[in-house]
């Protein structure tokens, strides 16, 4: 009972902390920083989707940006055609989720191994990049939405109140919505991982053969995890299209795919907090490096990644967690970090 109380207490503490930050940050930062923070929050949702797939499902996916981009394009095309954003918002979740389920079905049930799985998902992402980039002609339209090729789709209509296209979401409203979405995804995944489904997913990651001998269909559980991660990434894509009011094939690019992996590696796999921390930290460093001309930003980020892989292979959050446990802070740290392991 004590363990359950600690786990629930950690979840409540994380939720309260998230709400406090969500309400306090707009009061203490300037509008320019708010714009940056909104993008950080949106990308943290994308990082969480890979944190679930890779960190808990053990699925090495190099193409998470594919679902991110599909969600963004699904929203942009649908909202231009429908006017109201209610259905497009749902489509930005359902379409990438179904695409992930379809792709995952062929890969998991064909018993594709980890390395080849990563290569195939990355290839799919780059194919989408090329395909969407080749849609620059006037004949490439879906309803009233021109695809625009590499120029993308400009002037994407913002989210609005359900059934009220005339009441659009303000930029401050987008920050609050993105923050609440990140918090909801985090809490939802924490609860899911505590459920029987989540425990089976972690068990399959730890020892797939043993889980199958116990009667669990590892392919189904991997497929479900992959589809959930794809849907979450698509939701992040919808918010990203709202943030920039623009979407282009760059969301499928190699740089976007690599960034997500770096965020999770730096923050730490096997936790939900790690991808969020890694995402915020790397984006902040990239922003600061982009504001100066002395150092090459890509070189510095590459050095940071190599350093973490060699010196901090577990990532920031698991390493700090282990250090605090050794200092007798285990009862307070474990509920917050929530690393899932199966004996």
């Amino acid at each position: 009972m004590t363990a359950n109380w600690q786990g629930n207490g950690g979840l409540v503490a994380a939720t309260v902390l998230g709400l406090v930050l969500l309400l306090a940050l707009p009061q203490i930062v300037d509008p320019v920083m708010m714009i940056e923070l909104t993008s950080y929050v949106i990308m943290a949702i994308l990082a969480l989707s890979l944190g679930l797939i890779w960190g808990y499902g053990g699925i090495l996916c190099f193409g998470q940006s594919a679902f991110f981009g599909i969600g963004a394009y699904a929203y942009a095309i649908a909202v231009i055609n429908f006017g109201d954003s209610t259905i497009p918002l749902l489509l930005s979740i359902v379409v990438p989720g179904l695409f992930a389920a379809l792709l995952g079905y062929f890969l998991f049930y064909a018993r594709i191994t980890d390395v080849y799985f990563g290569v195939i998902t990355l290839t799919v992402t780059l194919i989408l990049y090329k395909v969407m980039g080749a849609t620059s002609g006037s004949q490439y339209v879906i309803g009233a939405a021109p695809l625009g090729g590499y120029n993308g789709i400009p002037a994407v209509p913002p989210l609005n109140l359900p059934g009220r296209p005339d009441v659009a979401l303000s930029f401050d409203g987008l920050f609050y919505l993105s923050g609440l979405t990140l918090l909801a995804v985090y809490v939802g995944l924490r609860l899911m991982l505590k459920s029987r489904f989540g425990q089976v997913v972690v068990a399959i990651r730890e020892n797939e053969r043993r889980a199958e001998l116990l009667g669990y269909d590892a392919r189904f559980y991997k497929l479900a995890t992959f589809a959930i991660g794809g849907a979450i990434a698509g939701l992040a894509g919808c918010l990203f299209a709202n943030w920039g009011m623009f979407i282009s094939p760059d969301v499928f690019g190699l740089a976007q795919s690599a960034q997500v992996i770096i965020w999770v590696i730096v923050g730490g796999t096997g936790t939900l907090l790690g991808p969020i921390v890694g995402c915020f930290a790397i984006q902040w460093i990239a922003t600061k490096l982009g504001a100066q001309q002395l150092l090459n930003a890509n070189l510095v980020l590459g050095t940071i990644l190599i350093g973490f892989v060699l010196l901090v292979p577990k990532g920031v959050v698991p390493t700090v967690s282990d250090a605090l446990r050794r200092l007798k802070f285990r009862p307070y740290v474990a509920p917050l970090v929530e690393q899932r392991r199966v004996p």
Side-chain angles (χ1 to χ4, degrees), residues 218-333:
R219 296 171 299 181
F220 168 78
Y221 282 93
K222 283 186 171 184
L223 177 60
T225 304
F226 192 59
I228 292 171
I232 294 172
L235 175 58
C238 168
L239 296 173
F240 181 75
N242 276 268
W243 176 76
M245 292 184 291
F246 170 80
I247 194 66
S248 75
D250 288 340
V251 292
F252 298 113
L254 184 60
Q256 182 66 53
S257 300
Q259 279 187 97
V260 189
I261 297 171
I262 293 173
W263 296 337
V264 177
I265 290 175
V266 170
T269 59
T271 74
L272 293 177
L273 186 60
I276 298 175
V277 171
C279 177
F280 272 78
I282 295 298
Q283 286 195 100
W284 181 81
I285 293 173
T287 300
K288 294 302 180 183
L289 289 173
Q292 53 82 45
Q293 302 296 326
L294 181 62
L295 299 173
N296 182 281
N298 292 328
L299 179 61
V300 174
L301 290 175
T303 303
I304 291 173
L305 175 61
I306 294 173
F308 268 91
V309 170
L310 296 177
L311 303 177
V312 194
K314 289 183 178 181
V316 172
V317 172
T319 300
V320 172
S321 172
D322 290 344
L324 292 176
R325 285 189 177 105
R326 286 194 293 269
L327 294 174
K328 310 303 182 184
F329 287 97
R330 181 183 179 90
Y332 307 99
V333 175

Side-chain angles (χ1 to χ4, degrees), residues 43-53 181-183 185-186 189 229 232 260 264 271-273 275-276:
M43 291 304 180
I45 299 172
L46 174 60
L48 263 182
S49 70
L50 183 61
L52 169 67
I53 292 174
T181 302
L182 174 61
L183 193 59
V185 170
Y186 174 80
L189 291 180
I232 294 172
V260 189
V264 177
T271 74
L272 293 177
L273 186 60
I276 298 175

Side-chain angles (χ1 to χ4, degrees), residues 18 22 67 83 107 122 130-131 157 160 174 197 216 219 236 263 285:
L22 185 63
F67 314 121
L107 296 181
L122 178 59
K130 290 295 184 181
V131 168
N160 56 259
L174 179 61
F197 174 85
Y216 296 106
R219 296 171 299 181
W263 296 337
I285 293 173

Side-chain angles (χ1 to χ4, degrees), residues 134-143 145-148:
T135 58
S136 58
S138 59
Q139 69 272 27
Y140 294 105
V141 295
I142 299 178
L147 298 181

